[in-house]
Amino acid sequence: MAFRAVKGMNDILPNASGRWQRLEATFRRHADLHGFEEVRVPILEHTELFVRSIGEVTDIVEKEMYSFVHRDEALTLRPEGTAGVARALVEHKLYATAPVTRWYYLGPMFRAERPQRGRLRQFHQAGCEIFGDPGPACDAELISMIVDLLTDLGVAELEVAINSLGGPGTRARYRQALLGYLAPRAGELSDTARARLEANPLRILDSKHPRDVEVCAAAPSILDVLDAEDRAHFDGLRAALDALGTPYAVEPRLVRGLDYYTHTSFEIRSRAGELGSQNTLAGGGRYDAMVAELGGPGTPAIGFAMGLERILLALPEPAPSPRRGCFLAPMGQAATSRALGLARELRAAGVRAELDARGGSLRSLLRRADGSGARVCIVLGDAELGRGVAQVKDLELHAQEDVPLPEVVAHAAALTGSAAEAAS
RNA sequence: GUGGGUGUAGCUCAGUGGUAGAGCACUGGAUUGUGGCUCCAGGUGUCGCGGGUUCAAUUCCCGUCACUCACCCCA
């Protein structure tokens, strides 16, 4: 094998693309139902955009971005979707057009991490962003939408975790409190956690390292230092989730790795399917400061992204797809000529039609027809041509009949059920 | 980036210090034109790559690469 795909960047072959299409269609439907419209932004952005929005000392920016300089321009393959979408909002001044903007996006993201189950270097996210609504009702609606969407798809064993990171003042205050607790215990922390002590102590809270978990168990909770406004928002979120009937768990140590979150942050996880330890299906939160940071007016915002590969891993095995369309099996030169025209007519009538002109015995032709997944096989040999008919076989019902050539299209359309779809 | 596991047919895997197998898949056939089940037949492998030990390596040793799981991180 001379060439391989780049590590961590997988092909999605036709045997899987059907599942992707269903997943994407379901996401689009739910997003549309909630009033979101699709926005498509570039995969490549100026490196500085991600540094500014995601945060300089985050792992993503420090070591996971595909960055390069091209003709004096520092560019980066997007590691997440929110920054580009927020940039587009500001660049086109769309905050001035409507008080609230609801956008969704879909597409590949890139992070240079070591691949493992549920973690790729090129992976796909679908996400929604709401600009201009300070919440917390819309925060809850977003979370409930994800739960509905995943449930609709068939993902089992969902759990919702929520937390509040408070506003900027709260965050600074909590940072000090946490540092006050952790610094004296630095010796008990893991190496990575200790290294993070100065730069980003909050991140130590969601370490999975047993030592860190133990140390953090008794750490002060951010929920205890929320100010009145933060608390009102968080209480409002909980009340709205209760009103929606969406179960959740409060996790005071839920921090997440992007610096831009304020107030609400959340994660949706599952233990279902073939998910490994990477079991966060969707995550998000409020980022009230980002739009201003990118040069726009102060605009509250919230959003989430979900990992499509992970959702696919969590999904149960799909039912085998039903037989559909026609397989044309001509035998001989004259029959092939006739079949060519027939196939074109079928397609014009909205019937999926596959022509196999390779010839062979009728047995092998039928085997191929069967293997193709077609509902109907149209056999056209010298005997049929001589009588002006085609043999139309229903591969599912094991029924067959000779049909006069002019009626074959209508007959096949009826059998495959394609006519109605084509007409509507 | 750190640690563990695994690399044999298209796929899933077995196997042995003496140059390799099964199942599935694929293709063809089973009274000269009838699919799925059944039966028969058919083929491919640099045994990941490089080096070492040995009369002899797919098997043992070292290195390397790839894949994979976990940490880390996050979707």
Side-chain angles (χ1 to χ4, degrees):
Chain A
M1 264 178 277
F3 286 102
R4 308 185 56 98
V6 174
K7 182 203 280 277
M9 306 206 178
N10 294 170
D11 300 310
I12 297 164
L13 269 8
N15 64 6
S17 56
R19 304 182 73 202
W20 280 82
Q21 288 172 8
R22 278 193 296 281
L23 170 54
E24 290 167 3
T26 304
F27 169 73
R28 286 177 194 278
R29 187 162 53 78
H30 279 264
D32 181 69
L33 247 17
H34 285 254
F36 290 90
E37 294 178 299
E38 184 178 13
V39 60
R40 301 194 186 198
V41 299
I43 281 176
L44 210 53
E45 296 274 1
H46 292 286
T47 300
E48 188 57 21
L49 172 69
F50 299 118
V51 176
R52 285 285 283 282
S53 59
I54 297 170
E56 200 131 14
V57 295
T58 56
D59 282 20
I60 291 180
V61 168
E62 282 179 338
K63 51 188 198 202
E64 294 172 4
M65 296 206 299
Y66 280 99
S67 298
F68 57 94
V69 174
H70 177 72
R71 295 183 189 159
D72 295 333
E73 247 184 330
L75 303 174
T76 292
L77 247 24
R78 65 180 185 194
E80 59 104 47
T82 302
V85 169
R87 191 224 81 230
L89 180 95
V90 172
E91 181 167 342
H92 300 283
K93 299 185 165 50
L94 286 159
Y95 45 78
T97 313
V100 174
T101 303
R102 294 177 161 236
W103 279 349
Y104 78 83
Y105 62 87
L106 201 59
M109 306 294 163
F110 303 84
R111 289 183 202 171
E113 302 179 273
R114 187 113 157 210
Q116 69 181 75
R117 180 183 296 275
R119 190 174 74 186
L120 287 303
R121 289 185 172 182
Q122 172 175 331
F123 59 105
H124 296 78
Q125 287 187 333
C128 292
E129 315 286 351
I130 302 175
F131 298 98
D133 187 332
C138 71
D139 302 19
E141 275 207 302
L142 217 46
I143 293 169
S144 132
M145 169 184 151
I146 302 167
V147 172
D148 288 347
L149 159 58
L150 292 175
T151 303
D152 193 9
L153 283 165
V155 181
E157 301 176 63
L158 287 175
E159 34 189 78
V160 175
I162 64 168
N163 190 24
S164 174
L165 267 18
T170 302
R171 192 146 175 174
R173 214 161 51 243
Y174 179 60
R175 198 193 130 100
Q176 282 315 308
L178 188 60
L179 220 41
Y181 171 83
L182 289 177
R185 294 168 177 78
E188 301 165 45
L189 293 170
S190 69
D191 293 345
T192 36
R194 198 156 45 243
R196 213 154 8 223
L197 212 47
E198 279 306 314
N200 205 343
L202 297 229
R203 300 301 320 291
I204 297 173
L205 290 175
D206 58 11
S207 167
K208 283 186 204 164
H209 195 109
R211 297 231 300 271
D212 301 336
V213 172
E214 199 176 321
V215 174
C216 290
S221 165
I222 191 167
L223 296 179
D224 293 333
V225 300
L226 295 183
D227 64 26
E229 189 196 333
D230 300 334
R231 166 125 334 260
H233 193 280
F234 193 55
D235 289 345
L237 169 64
R238 299 179 61 167
L241 283 172
D242 289 340
L244 286 162
T246 302
Y248 61 89
V250 175
E251 289 188 12
R253 289 200 293 278
L254 176 67
V255 173
R256 308 187 48 71
L258 289 77
D259 269 1
Y260 53 60
Y261 290 120
T262 55
H263 298 288
T264 306
S265 81
F266 59 89
E267 272 184 18
I268 284 83
R269 313 185 192 107
S270 171
R271 292 236 136 263
E274 299 173 37
L275 279 171
S277 62
Q278 310 297 318
N279 68 333
T280 301
L281 299 181
R286 185 158 278 286
Y287 48 99
D288 290 341
M290 193 196 295
V291 173
E293 174 75 14
L294 297 181
T299 305
I302 183 167
F304 76 87
M306 49 189 226
L308 269 25
E309 281 85 354
R310 288 187 187 175
I311 291 170
L312 254 11
L313 283 173
L315 249 28
E317 271 302 302
S321 42
R323 292 181 168 281
R324 63 198 192 99
C326 284
F327 185 96
L328 288 92
M331 293 186 285
Q333 199 53 58
T336 299
S337 303
R338 199 72 179 79
L340 245 14
L342 220 40
R344 211 164 94 94
E345 287 177 54
L346 281 164
R347 292 163 192 148
V351 181
R352 178 187 168 97
E354 178 182 345
L355 170 65
D356 186 337
R358 291 180 297 160
S361 69
L362 181 60
R363 173 195 292 276
S364 45
L365 246 15
L366 284 171
R367 274 189 184 167
R368 284 180 220 156
D370 187 48
S372 77
R375 172 66 191 265
V376 167
C377 179
I378 297 176
V379 178
L380 210 52
D382 292 337
E384 285 78 12
L385 272 190
R387 288 185 289 131
V389 302
Q391 185 183 102
V392 179
K393 283 180 75 76
D394 185 321
L395 292 170
E396 192 165 297
L397 300 179
H398 312 278
Q400 64 181 65
E401 65 179 292
D402 285 349
V403 176
L405 285 171
E407 296 167 29
V408 166
V409 172
H411 195 90
L415 283 181
T416 58
S418 308
E421 289 168 32
S424 64

Coordinates of all heavy atoms in Angstrom, one line a residue, chain A residues 111 116-117 119 125 196 203 208-209 256-257 277 280 310 383-384 391 393 395 398, chain B residues 1-3 28-30 33-36 66-75:
Chain A
R111 N -7.9 18.8 15.0 CA -7.1 18.9 16.1 C -6.0 17.9 16.1 O -6.2 16.7 15.9 CB -7.9 18.8 17.4 CG -8.8 19.9 17.7 CD -9.6 19.8 19.0 NE -10.8 20.6 19.0 CZ -11.7 20.5 19.9 NH1 -11.6 19.7 20.9 NH2 -12.8 21.3 19.8
Q116 N -7.7 8.1 19.1 CA -8.1 6.9 19.7 C -9.6 6.8 19.5 O -10.2 7.5 18.7 CB -7.8 6.9 21.2 CG -8.6 7.9 22.0 CD -8.3 8.0 23.5 OE1 -7.2 8.5 23.8 NE2 -9.1 7.4 24.3
R117 N -10.3 5.8 20.1 CA -11.7 5.6 19.8 C -12.4 6.9 20.2 O -12.3 7.4 21.3 CB -12.2 4.4 20.6 CG -13.7 4.2 20.4 CD -14.2 3.1 21.2 NE -13.6 1.8 20.9 CZ -14.1 1.0 20.0 NH1 -15.1 1.3 19.2 NH2 -13.4 -0.1 19.7
R119 N -11.9 9.8 19.0 CA -11.1 11.0 18.9 C -10.3 10.9 17.6 O -9.3 10.2 17.5 CB -10.2 11.2 20.1 CG -9.6 12.6 20.1 CD -8.8 12.8 21.4 NE -7.6 12.1 21.4 CZ -6.8 12.0 22.5 NH1 -7.1 12.7 23.6 NH2 -5.7 11.3 22.5
Q125 N -18.3 18.1 13.6 CA -19.2 18.6 14.6 C -20.4 19.2 14.0 O -20.3 19.7 12.8 CB -18.5 19.7 15.4 CG -17.5 19.1 16.4 CD -16.9 20.2 17.3 OE1 -16.9 21.4 17.0 NE2 -16.5 19.8 18.5
R196 N -0.1 23.1 35.6 CA -1.2 23.9 35.2 C -1.6 24.9 36.3 O -2.5 25.8 36.2 CB -2.4 23.1 34.9 CG -3.2 23.7 33.8 CD -4.1 22.9 32.9 NE -4.2 21.5 33.1 CZ -4.1 20.6 32.1 NH1 -3.9 21.0 30.9 NH2 -4.3 19.3 32.4
R203 N -8.7 24.1 35.3 CA -8.7 22.9 34.5 C -8.3 21.6 35.3 O -8.6 20.5 35.0 CB -7.7 23.0 33.4 CG -8.0 24.1 32.4 CD -9.3 24.0 31.8 NE -9.5 22.6 31.5 CZ -8.9 21.9 30.5 NH1 -8.0 22.5 29.8 NH2 -9.1 20.6 30.3
K208 N -8.7 13.4 35.2 CA -9.2 12.1 35.6 C -8.1 11.4 36.4 O -8.4 10.2 36.9 CB -9.5 11.3 34.3 CG -10.8 11.6 33.7 CD -11.1 10.7 32.5 CE -12.0 11.3 31.5 NZ -11.9 10.6 30.2
H209 N -7.0 12.0 36.6 CA -5.9 11.3 37.3 C -6.4 11.1 38.8 O -6.8 12.0 39.4 CB -4.7 12.2 37.3 CG -3.4 11.5 37.7 ND1 -2.4 11.1 36.8 CD2 -3.1 11.0 38.9 CE1 -1.5 10.5 37.4 NE2 -1.9 10.4 38.7
R256 N -14.5 22.3 31.4 CA -14.3 22.3 30.0 C -13.1 23.1 29.6 O -12.6 24.0 30.3 CB -15.5 22.8 29.3 CG -16.8 22.0 29.7 CD -18.0 22.4 29.0 NE -17.8 22.4 27.5 CZ -17.5 21.3 26.8 NH1 -17.6 20.1 27.4 NH2 -17.3 21.3 25.6
G257 N -12.6 22.8 28.4 CA -11.2 23.3 28.1 C -11.1 24.6 27.3 O -10.0 25.0 26.9
S277 N -13.7 5.7 26.3 CA -13.6 6.7 27.4 C -13.9 8.1 26.9 O -14.1 9.0 27.7 CB -12.2 6.7 28.1 OG -11.3 7.0 27.1
T280 N -18.1 12.1 25.8 CA -18.9 13.3 25.8 C -19.4 13.5 24.3 O -18.6 13.6 23.4 CB -18.0 14.5 26.1 OG1 -17.4 14.3 27.4 CG2 -18.7 15.8 26.1
R310 N -18.7 10.4 17.5 CA -19.1 9.8 18.8 C -20.5 9.4 18.8 O -20.9 8.4 19.4 CB -18.8 10.8 19.9 CG -17.3 10.9 20.1 CD -16.9 11.8 21.3 NE -15.5 12.0 21.4 CZ -14.9 12.8 22.2 NH1 -15.7 13.4 23.2 NH2 -13.6 12.9 22.2
A383 N -35.5 -14.1 -25.9 CA -36.9 -14.7 -25.8 C -37.8 -13.5 -25.5 O -38.9 -13.4 -26.2 CB -36.9 -15.7 -24.7
E384 N -37.5 -12.7 -24.6 CA -38.4 -11.6 -24.2 C -38.5 -10.6 -25.3 O -39.6 -10.1 -25.7 CB -37.9 -10.8 -22.9 CG -38.1 -11.6 -21.6 CD -37.1 -12.7 -21.4 OE1 -36.1 -12.7 -22.2 OE2 -37.3 -13.5 -20.5
Q391 N -39.1 -9.4 -18.6 CA -39.5 -10.2 -17.4 C -39.2 -9.3 -16.2 O -38.1 -8.9 -16.0 CB -38.7 -11.5 -17.3 CG -39.2 -12.3 -16.2 CD -38.4 -13.6 -16.0 OE1 -37.5 -13.7 -15.2 NE2 -38.6 -14.5 -16.9
K393 N -39.1 -9.0 -12.3 CA -39.1 -9.9 -11.1 C -39.0 -9.0 -9.9 O -38.3 -8.0 -9.8 CB -37.8 -10.7 -11.1 CG -37.8 -11.9 -12.0 CD -36.5 -12.7 -11.8 CE -36.4 -13.5 -10.5 NZ -37.2 -14.7 -10.6
L395 N -37.8 -9.0 -6.5 CA -36.8 -9.8 -5.8 C -37.2 -10.1 -4.3 O -36.6 -11.0 -3.7 CB -35.4 -9.1 -5.8 CG -34.8 -9.1 -7.2 CD1 -33.6 -8.2 -7.3 CD2 -34.5 -10.4 -7.7
H398 N -40.4 -12.6 -4.6 CA -40.1 -13.8 -5.4 C -41.2 -14.0 -6.5 O -41.6 -15.1 -6.8 CB -40.0 -15.0 -4.6 CG -39.1 -14.9 -3.4 ND1 -37.8 -15.0 -3.5 CD2 -39.4 -14.6 -2.1 CE1 -37.3 -14.8 -2.3 NE2 -38.2 -14.5 -1.4
Chain B
rG1 P 4.7 13.0 19.4 OP1 5.2 14.2 18.8 OP2 5.2 11.7 19.1 O5' 4.6 13.2 21.0 C5' 5.6 14.1 21.6 C4' 5.3 14.2 23.0 O4' 4.0 14.8 23.2 C3' 5.2 12.9 23.7 O3' 6.4 12.4 24.1 C2' 4.3 13.2 25.0 O2' 5.0 13.9 26.0 C1' 3.3 14.2 24.3 N9 2.1 13.6 23.9 C8 1.6 13.5 22.6 N7 0.5 12.9 22.5 C5 0.2 12.5 23.8 C6 -1.0 11.8 24.3 O6 -1.9 11.4 23.7 N1 -0.9 11.7 25.7 C2 0.1 12.2 26.5 N2 0.0 11.9 27.8 N3 1.2 12.8 26.0 C4 1.1 13.0 24.7
rU2 P 6.7 10.8 24.2 OP1 8.2 10.6 24.4 OP2 6.1 10.2 23.0 O5' 5.9 10.3 25.4 C5' 6.4 10.7 26.7 C4' 5.5 10.0 27.8 O4' 4.2 10.5 27.8 C3' 5.4 8.5 27.6 O3' 6.5 7.8 28.1 C2' 4.1 8.2 28.4 O2' 4.4 8.2 29.8 C1' 3.3 9.4 28.1 N1 2.4 9.2 26.9 C2 1.2 8.5 27.1 O2 0.9 8.1 28.2 N3 0.5 8.3 26.0 C4 0.7 8.7 24.7 O4 -0.1 8.5 23.8 C5 2.0 9.5 24.6 C6 2.7 9.7 25.7
rG3 P 6.8 6.3 27.4 OP1 8.1 5.9 28.1 OP2 6.8 6.4 26.0 O5' 5.6 5.4 27.9 C5' 5.7 4.8 29.2 C4' 4.4 4.1 29.5 O4' 3.3 5.0 29.2 C3' 4.1 2.9 28.7 O3' 4.8 1.7 29.2 C2' 2.6 2.7 28.9 O2' 2.3 2.3 30.2 C1' 2.2 4.2 28.8 N9 1.8 4.5 27.4 C8 2.5 5.2 26.5 N7 1.9 5.3 25.3 C5 0.7 4.6 25.5 C6 -0.3 4.4 24.6 O6 -0.5 4.7 23.4 N1 -1.3 3.6 25.2 C2 -1.3 3.2 26.5 N2 -2.4 2.5 26.9 N3 -0.3 3.4 27.4 C4 0.7 4.1 26.8
rG28 P -20.1 -14.9 -11.6 OP1 -20.6 -14.2 -12.9 OP2 -21.0 -14.9 -10.4 O5' -19.8 -16.4 -12.0 C5' -19.0 -16.7 -13.1 C4' -18.6 -18.2 -13.1 O4' -17.8 -18.5 -11.9 C3' -19.8 -19.2 -13.0 O3' -20.4 -19.4 -14.3 C2' -19.0 -20.4 -12.5 O2' -18.3 -21.0 -13.6 C1' -18.1 -19.8 -11.5 N9 -18.7 -19.8 -10.2 C8 -19.2 -18.7 -9.5 N7 -19.7 -19.1 -8.3 C5 -19.4 -20.5 -8.2 C6 -19.7 -21.4 -7.2 O6 -20.2 -21.2 -6.1 N1 -19.3 -22.7 -7.5 C2 -18.7 -23.0 -8.7 N2 -18.3 -24.3 -8.8 N3 -18.4 -22.2 -9.6 C4 -18.8 -20.9 -9.3
rG29 P -21.9 -19.8 -14.3 OP1 -22.3 -19.9 -15.8 OP2 -22.7 -19.0 -13.4 O5' -21.8 -21.3 -13.8 C5' -21.3 -22.4 -14.6 C4' -21.2 -23.6 -13.8 O4' -20.5 -23.4 -12.5 C3' -22.5 -24.3 -13.3 O3' -23.1 -25.0 -14.4 C2' -22.1 -25.2 -12.2 O2' -21.4 -26.3 -12.7 C1' -21.0 -24.3 -11.5 N9 -21.5 -23.5 -10.4 C8 -21.8 -22.2 -10.3 N7 -22.3 -21.8 -9.2 C5 -22.4 -23.0 -8.5 C6 -22.9 -23.3 -7.1 O6 -23.3 -22.5 -6.3 N1 -22.8 -24.6 -6.8 C2 -22.3 -25.6 -7.6 N2 -22.3 -26.8 -7.1 N3 -21.8 -25.4 -8.9 C4 -21.9 -24.1 -9.2
rA30 P -24.7 -25.2 -14.3 OP1 -25.1 -25.9 -15.6 OP2 -25.4 -24.0 -14.0 O5' -24.9 -26.3 -13.1 C5' -24.5 -27.6 -13.3 C4' -24.9 -28.4 -12.0 O4' -24.2 -27.9 -10.9 C3' -26.4 -28.3 -11.7 O3' -27.1 -29.2 -12.5 C2' -26.3 -28.7 -10.2 O2' -26.2 -30.1 -10.0 C1' -25.0 -28.0 -9.7 N9 -25.3 -26.7 -9.2 C8 -25.2 -25.5 -9.9 N7 -25.5 -24.4 -9.2 C5 -25.8 -25.0 -7.9 C6 -26.3 -24.4 -6.7 N6 -26.4 -23.1 -6.5 N1 -26.5 -25.2 -5.7 C2 -26.3 -26.5 -5.8 N3 -26.0 -27.2 -6.9 C4 -25.7 -26.3 -7.9
rG33 P -28.3 -21.9 -19.9 OP1 -27.7 -20.8 -20.8 OP2 -27.7 -22.2 -18.6 O5' -29.8 -21.6 -19.9 C5' -30.6 -22.0 -18.9 C4' -31.2 -20.7 -18.2 O4' -31.2 -19.7 -19.2 C3' -32.6 -21.0 -17.8 O3' -32.8 -20.6 -16.4 C2' -33.5 -20.1 -18.7 O2' -34.5 -19.5 -18.1 C1' -32.4 -19.0 -19.2 N9 -32.8 -18.4 -20.5 C8 -32.5 -18.8 -21.7 N7 -33.0 -18.1 -22.6 C5 -33.7 -17.1 -21.9 C6 -34.4 -16.0 -22.4 O6 -34.6 -15.6 -23.6 N1 -35.0 -15.3 -21.4 C2 -34.8 -15.6 -20.0 N2 -35.4 -14.8 -19.2 N3 -34.1 -16.6 -19.6 C4 -33.6 -17.3 -20.6
rU34 P -32.8 -21.9 -15.4 OP1 -31.6 -22.7 -15.4 OP2 -34.1 -22.6 -15.5 O5' -32.8 -21.2 -14.0 C5' -31.7 -20.5 -13.5 C4' -32.1 -19.3 -12.7 O4' -32.8 -18.4 -13.5 C3' -33.0 -19.7 -11.6 O3' -32.6 -18.9 -10.4 C2' -34.4 -19.3 -12.0 O2' -35.2 -18.8 -10.9 C1' -34.1 -18.1 -12.9 N1 -35.0 -17.8 -14.0 C2 -35.9 -16.8 -13.7 O2 -36.0 -16.2 -12.7 N3 -36.8 -16.5 -14.8 C4 -36.8 -17.1 -16.0 O4 -37.6 -16.7 -16.8 C5 -35.8 -18.1 -16.2 C6 -35.0 -18.4 -15.2
rG35 P -32.1 -19.6 -9.1 OP1 -30.9 -20.4 -9.5 OP2 -33.2 -20.2 -8.4 O5' -31.7 -18.3 -8.3 C5' -30.5 -17.6 -8.7 C4' -30.2 -16.5 -7.8 O4' -31.2 -15.4 -8.1 C3' -30.5 -16.8 -6.3 O3' -29.3 -17.3 -5.8 C2' -30.7 -15.4 -5.8 O2' -29.6 -14.6 -5.6 C1' -31.5 -14.8 -6.9 N9 -33.0 -14.9 -6.8 C8 -33.8 -15.8 -7.3 N7 -35.1 -15.6 -7.1 C5 -35.1 -14.4 -6.3 C6 -36.2 -13.7 -5.7 O6 -37.4 -14.0 -5.8 N1 -35.7 -12.6 -5.0 C2 -34.4 -12.3 -4.8 N2 -34.2 -11.2 -4.1 N3 -33.4 -12.9 -5.4 C4 -33.8 -14.0 -6.1
rG36 P -29.3 -18.4 -4.6 OP1 -28.0 -19.0 -4.5 OP2 -30.5 -19.2 -4.8 O5' -29.6 -17.5 -3.3 C5' -28.6 -16.4 -2.9 C4' -29.2 -15.7 -1.7 O4' -30.4 -15.1 -2.1 C3' -29.5 -16.6 -0.6 O3' -28.8 -16.2 0.6 C2' -31.0 -16.7 -0.4 O2' -31.4 -16.5 0.9 C1' -31.4 -15.4 -1.2 N9 -32.7 -15.7 -1.9 C8 -33.0 -16.7 -2.8 N7 -34.2 -16.6 -3.2 C5 -34.7 -15.5 -2.6 C6 -36.0 -15.0 -2.6 O6 -37.0 -15.4 -3.3 N1 -36.1 -13.9 -1.8 C2 -35.1 -13.3 -1.1 N2 -35.4 -12.2 -0.4 N3 -33.9 -13.8 -1.0 C4 -33.8 -14.9 -1.8
rA66 P 4.0 5.9 11.8 OP1 3.6 7.2 11.1 OP2 4.3 5.9 13.2 O5' 2.9 4.8 11.5 C5' 2.4 4.6 10.2 C4' 1.5 3.4 10.2 O4' 2.2 2.2 10.6 C3' 0.3 3.5 11.2 O3' -0.8 4.2 10.6 C2' 0.0 2.0 11.3 O2' -0.7 1.5 10.2 C1' 1.4 1.4 11.4 N9 1.9 1.2 12.7 C8 2.8 2.0 13.4 N7 3.1 1.6 14.6 C5 2.3 0.5 14.7 C6 2.2 -0.5 15.8 N6 2.9 -0.4 16.9 N1 1.3 -1.5 15.6 C2 0.7 -1.6 14.5 N3 0.7 -0.8 13.4 C4 1.6 0.2 13.6
rC67 P -1.7 5.0 11.6 OP1 -2.6 5.8 10.8 OP2 -0.9 5.6 12.7 O5' -2.6 3.8 12.3 C5' -3.5 3.1 11.5 C4' -3.9 1.9 12.3 O4' -2.8 1.1 12.7 C3' -4.6 2.1 13.6 O3' -6.0 2.4 13.4 C2' -4.5 0.8 14.3 O2' -5.3 -0.2 13.8 C1' -3.0 0.4 13.9 N1 -2.0 0.8 14.9 C2 -1.9 0.1 16.0 O2 -2.6 -1.0 16.1 N3 -1.0 0.4 17.0 C4 -0.3 1.5 16.8 N4 0.6 1.8 17.7 C5 -0.4 2.3 15.6 C6 -1.3 2.0 14.7
rU68 P -6.7 3.4 14.5 OP1 -8.1 3.6 14.0 OP2 -5.9 4.6 14.7 O5' -6.8 2.5 15.8 C5' -7.5 1.3 15.9 C4' -7.3 0.6 17.2 O4' -5.8 0.3 17.2 C3' -7.5 1.4 18.4 O3' -8.8 1.4 18.8 C2' -6.6 0.7 19.4 O2' -7.2 -0.5 19.9 C1' -5.4 0.3 18.6 N1 -4.3 1.3 18.7 C2 -3.4 1.2 19.8 O2 -3.6 0.3 20.6 N3 -2.5 2.1 19.8 C4 -2.2 3.1 18.9 O4 -1.3 3.9 19.1 C5 -3.2 3.2 17.8 C6 -4.1 2.3 17.7
rC69 P -9.5 2.6 19.6 OP1 -10.9 2.4 19.4 OP2 -8.8 3.8 19.2 O5' -9.1 2.3 21.1 C5' -9.6 1.2 21.8 C4' -8.9 1.0 23.1 O4' -7.5 0.7 22.8 C3' -8.8 2.2 24.0 O3' -10.0 2.4 24.8 C2' -7.6 1.9 24.9 O2' -8.0 0.9 25.9 C1' -6.7 1.2 23.9 N1 -5.7 2.2 23.3 C2 -4.5 2.4 24.0 O2 -4.4 1.8 25.1 N3 -3.6 3.2 23.5 C4 -3.9 3.9 22.4 N4 -2.9 4.7 21.9 C5 -5.1 3.7 21.6 C6 -6.0 2.8 22.1
rA70 P -10.4 3.8 25.3 OP1 -11.7 3.7 25.9 OP2 -10.2 4.8 24.1 O5' -9.3 4.2 26.4 C5' -9.4 3.6 27.6 C4' -8.1 3.9 28.4 O4' -7.0 3.4 27.7 C3' -7.8 5.3 28.7 O3' -8.6 5.9 29.7 C2' -6.4 5.2 29.1 O2' -6.2 4.7 30.4 C1' -5.8 4.2 28.1 N9 -5.3 4.9 26.9 C8 -5.9 5.1 25.7 N7 -5.2 5.8 24.8 C5 -4.0 6.1 25.5 C6 -2.8 6.8 25.2 N6 -2.6 7.3 24.0 N1 -1.9 6.9 26.2 C2 -2.1 6.3 27.4 N3 -3.2 5.6 27.8 C4 -4.1 5.5 26.8
rC71 P -8.8 7.5 29.8 OP1 -9.8 7.7 30.9 OP2 -9.1 7.9 28.4 O5' -7.4 8.0 30.2 C5' -6.9 7.8 31.5 C4' -5.5 8.3 31.6 O4' -4.7 7.8 30.5 C3' -5.4 9.9 31.4 O3' -5.7 10.5 32.6 C2' -3.9 10.0 31.0 O2' -3.1 9.9 32.1 C1' -3.7 8.8 30.1 N1 -3.8 9.1 28.7 C2 -2.8 9.8 28.1 O2 -1.8 10.1 28.7 N3 -2.9 10.1 26.8 C4 -4.0 9.8 26.1 N4 -4.1 10.1 24.8 C5 -5.1 9.1 26.7 C6 -5.0 8.7 28.0
rC72 P -6.6 11.8 32.5 OP1 -6.6 12.4 33.9 OP2 -7.9 11.5 31.8 O5' -5.8 12.8 31.6 C5' -4.6 13.4 32.1 C4' -3.9 14.1 30.9 O4' -3.6 13.1 29.9 C3' -4.7 15.1 30.2 O3' -4.7 16.4 30.8 C2' -4.0 15.2 28.8 O2' -2.8 15.9 28.9 C1' -3.7 13.7 28.6 N1 -4.8 13.0 27.9 C2 -4.9 13.1 26.5 O2 -4.0 13.8 25.9 N3 -5.9 12.5 25.8 C4 -6.8 11.8 26.5 N4 -7.8 11.2 25.8 C5 -6.8 11.7 27.9 C6 -5.8 12.3 28.6
rC73 P -6.1 17.1 31.1 OP1 -5.7 18.4 31.8 OP2 -7.0 16.2 31.8 O5' -6.7 17.4 29.7 C5' -6.1 18.4 28.9 C4' -6.6 18.3 27.5 O4' -6.4 16.9 27.0 C3' -8.1 18.5 27.3 O3' -8.3 19.9 27.1 C2' -8.3 17.8 25.9 O2' -7.8 18.6 24.9 C1' -7.5 16.6 26.1 N1 -8.3 15.5 26.6 C2 -9.0 14.7 25.7 O2 -9.0 15.0 24.5 N3 -9.8 13.7 26.2 C4 -9.8 13.4 27.5 N4 -10.6 12.4 27.9 C5 -9.1 14.2 28.4 C6 -8.3 15.2 28.0
rC74 P -9.8 20.5 27.4 OP1 -9.7 21.9 27.1 OP2 -10.3 20.1 28.8 O5' -10.7 19.8 26.3 C5' -11.1 20.4 25.2 C4' -11.7 19.4 24.2 O4' -11.2 18.1 24.5 C3' -13.2 19.3 24.3 O3' -13.8 20.2 23.4 C2' -13.4 17.9 23.7 O2' -13.3 17.9 22.3 C1' -12.2 17.1 24.3 N1 -12.5 16.4 25.5 C2 -13.3 15.2 25.4 O2 -13.7 14.9 24.3 N3 -13.6 14.5 26.5 C4 -13.1 14.9 27.7 N4 -13.4 14.1 28.7 C5 -12.3 16.1 27.8 C6 -12.0 16.8 26.7
rA75 P -15.4 20.5 23.5 OP1 -15.7 21.9 23.0 OP2 -15.8 20.3 24.9 O5' -16.0 19.4 22.6 C5' -17.1 19.7 21.8 C4' -17.7 18.5 21.3 O4' -17.0 17.9 20.2 C3' -17.8 17.5 22.4 O3' -19.1 17.2 22.7 C2' -17.0 16.2 21.9 O2' -17.8 15.1 22.0 C1' -16.7 16.6 20.5 N9 -15.3 16.4 20.3 C8 -14.2 17.1 20.8 N7 -13.1 16.7 20.4 C5 -13.3 15.6 19.5 C6 -12.5 14.8 18.8 N6 -11.2 14.9 18.8 N1 -13.1 13.8 18.0 C2 -14.5 13.8 18.0 N3 -15.3 14.5 18.7 C4 -14.7 15.4 19.5

